[in-house]
Each structure stands twice: as structure tokens, then as C-alpha cells.
Amino acid sequence: MLMHSAVSAHFVTILEGGDFAEPAHRDLFSAVVALRDRGQRTTPDTVIGELRRRRSPLGAETVHAVASHAPVEAVALYYAAIVRDLAALHRKPSSATLEGMAPMPMRGFLIDEDD
């Protein structure tokens, strides 16, 4: 959402703040959504300002690091769907821990098996 404002509308239909396991990712997502909802640009600098306004512990270094590692636009929505799907699995009572989660083959993404 920091680097691909053209697809940010899709992100908010796929994800919500609670989908992120890391508090830092939730804070960052919430700040970007707040800026977007107010009609402001979601550049790294405006997001840093919003995080400061919210007294978030996230610093400028973190925001710039996230922005520099953003996937290309074509892949960004794919990653958002992965976050959404993993969040749904974590919400299931039987998968409260990683040990309780069923194995999920993600060929070509996390493992190097293309057979």
C-alpha cells in the first residue's frame, strides 16, 4: 500500500488490521488505511507522520525498510491474499498454535519443490 497506491483499494477489501500477526504490521496497515480514508497520499513520509501522530513505536527506518522491500504491484495482491488466508487459519479454534495447524504446501513460494 506504501508503494502501489493504485491497488490500495483492493487491499482494504482483502485485509483488515487484525489479520496481521505482528503488532508492527497492524500499526502500519492501520496508519495507511487511515490516511487513505482521509483522502491523503500514502507515501512513506505521510505514513511516518501518521504513526508519529498515533504515538506508534514504529520509526522511520521501519517504514522505509518495508517500502524498499515491497513486492511488485502484480504480486502485492497475491501476498495480501496469503496474509488473509493465514489469518483465517489462525482464527480456527483447532489451529490456535502453529503445531495445531495442518501442513500447507505452498509450492514455489516458501519451499523449493517444483515437481
Side-chain angles (χ1 to χ4, degrees):
M1 293 176 75
L2 288 170
M3 302 308 297
H4 310 297
S5 59
V7 295
S8 68
H10 298 290
F11 280 100
V12 296
T13 62
I14 295 171
L15 296 171
E16 52 189 52
D19 289 342
F20 296 94
E22 293 291 324
H25 296 167
R26 283 193 295 266
D27 287 353
L28 188 57
F29 181 79
S30 296
V32 172
V33 169
L35 287 167
R36 186 186 169 284
D37 288 349
R38 292 195 306 257
Q40 296 177 295
R41 293 179 37 161
T42 57
T43 65
D45 290 334
T46 59
V47 172
I48 291 165
E50 177 67 14
L51 290 167
R52 285 185 182 143
R53 187 185 73 73
R54 293 168 172 240
R55 302 190 190 283
S56 171
L58 291 180
E61 304 82 26
T62 303
V63 174
H64 287 294
V66 168
S68 69
H69 291 94
V72 295
E73 190 172 358
V75 180
L77 291 174
Y78 175 71
Y79 284 115
I82 291 170
V83 170
R84 179 204 58 210
D85 294 346
L86 289 174
L89 286 172
H90 283 286
R91 286 188 197 107
K92 285 186 173 182
S94 63
S95 62
T97 65
L98 287 176
E99 294 81 21
M101 290 182 67
M104 296 184 315
M106 299 175 88
R107 295 192 185 283
F109 179 67
L110 295 177
I111 56 178
D112 198 16
E113 292 179 9
D114 292 328
D115 52 348

